[in-house]
């Protein structure tokens, strides 16, 4: 089966392409920007103070608190509810839990490691309080215990805390 060329269709498509490109070129070269955009009058814009836009609206809903307590299994009545705790009362509540002491890890630095040629174990070089010491896993120095030795970091236990220290 041979495909026959339709000359009428070819001429129609050439004309359509020419029209599309003509419209595109006309818009690019003969566009007048001053006619396309209309500037708004600056006096027509209503001037607002910036704080007027953020006025808080009063709540228009009320909570219905007569549902079953999921823990006690009893119905709660609105008259039995305790008054809310005010912000002043919340600020006066003191906690008996004291903050945990912060451990200063800047005292410990990991300088690198050396492989012992006889035992084939990695020995790391650690600086604690400015004093340099070579340690193997399980050894401790000046309160710092080396738990795990990796090539790029070491796991140190110091003052009850554990931390990886990078080289």
């Amino acid at each position: 089966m041979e495909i026959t060329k339709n000359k009428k269709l070819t001429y129609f498509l050439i004309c359509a392409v020419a029209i599309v490109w003509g419209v595109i070129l006309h818009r690019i070269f003969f566009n007048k920007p001053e006619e396309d955009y209309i500037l708004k009058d600056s006096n027509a814009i209503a001037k607002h103070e910036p704080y007027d836009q953020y006025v808080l609206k009063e709540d228009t809903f009320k909570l219905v608190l007569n549902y079953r307590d999921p823990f006690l299994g009893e119905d709660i009545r609105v008259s039995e509810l305790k008054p809310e705790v005010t912000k002043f009362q919340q600020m006066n509540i003191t906690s008996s839990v004291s903050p945990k002491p912060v451990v200063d890890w800047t005292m410990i630095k990991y300088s690198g490691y050396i492989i012992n040629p006889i035992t084939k174990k990695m020995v790391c070089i650690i600086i604690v309080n400015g004093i340099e010491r070579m340690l193997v896993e399980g050894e401790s120095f000046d309160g710092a215990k080396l738990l795990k030795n990796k090539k790029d970091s070491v796991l140190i236990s110091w003052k009850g805390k554990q931390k990886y220290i990078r080289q």
Side-chain angles (χ1 to χ4, degrees):
M1 180 189 265
E2 288 184 32
I3 299 175
T4 59
K5 294 184 180 180
N6 190 351
K7 287 187 178 183
K8 290 182 182 179
L9 181 63
T10 304
Y11 289 137
F12 174 74
L13 290 175
I14 289 173
C15 291
V17 168
I19 290 172
V20 169
W21 276 106
V23 169
I24 292 171
L25 293 174
H26 177 48
R27 291 211 175 176
I28 291 173
F29 292 113
F30 299 108
N31 189 14
K32 295 180 182 176
E34 59 269 357
E35 293 178 5
D36 288 345
Y37 305 107
I38 299 172
L39 296 176
K40 293 182 180 179
D41 185 20
S42 62
N43 294 333
I45 298 173
K47 299 193 179 203
H48 296 284
E49 289 189 28
Y51 297 110
D52 288 346
Q53 297 173 2
Y54 303 107
V55 175
L56 296 176
K57 295 181 181 178
E58 189 174 323
D59 290 336
T60 58
F61 61 88
K62 295 191 184 217
L63 296 177
V64 180
L65 300 175
N66 56 359
Y67 54 86
R68 185 181 66 81
D69 186 358
F71 300 107
L72 299 176
E74 301 171 357
D75 286 340
I76 298 176
R77 301 293 172 210
V78 176
S79 61
E80 297 173 3
L81 293 177
K82 296 179 182 178
E84 291 185 27
V85 178
T86 62
K87 289 182 182 180
F88 180 73
Q89 291 172 340
Q90 287 177 355
M91 289 179 4
N92 286 339
I93 296 173
T94 58
S95 176
S96 63
V97 178
S98 61
K100 295 179 180 178
V102 179
V103 178
D104 185 19
W105 290 97
T106 59
M107 306 292 262
I108 302 173
K109 294 181 183 174
Y110 173 49
S111 296
Y113 69 94
I114 300 171
I115 297 178
N116 190 340
I118 298 169
T119 61
K120 305 291 184 198
K121 288 188 176 182
M122 281 194 335
V123 180
C124 68
I125 303 167
I126 296 180
I127 301 171
V128 179
N129 294 327
I131 302 170
E132 188 174 86
R133 183 67 58 107
M134 296 172 63
L135 298 175
V136 183
E137 286 184 7
E139 291 184 343
S140 61
F141 167 66
D142 200 18
K145 183 175 182 180
L146 177 63
L147 299 177
K148 193 177 253 186
N149 188 3
K150 295 185 176 182
K151 290 184 177 181
D152 64 339
S153 63
V154 290
L155 179 63
I156 300 285
S157 172
W158 193 47
K159 294 185 180 179
K161 302 282 183 178
Q162 293 181 359
K163 183 178 179 181
Y164 277 99
I165 299 176
R166 295 188 64 86
Q167 190 173 8

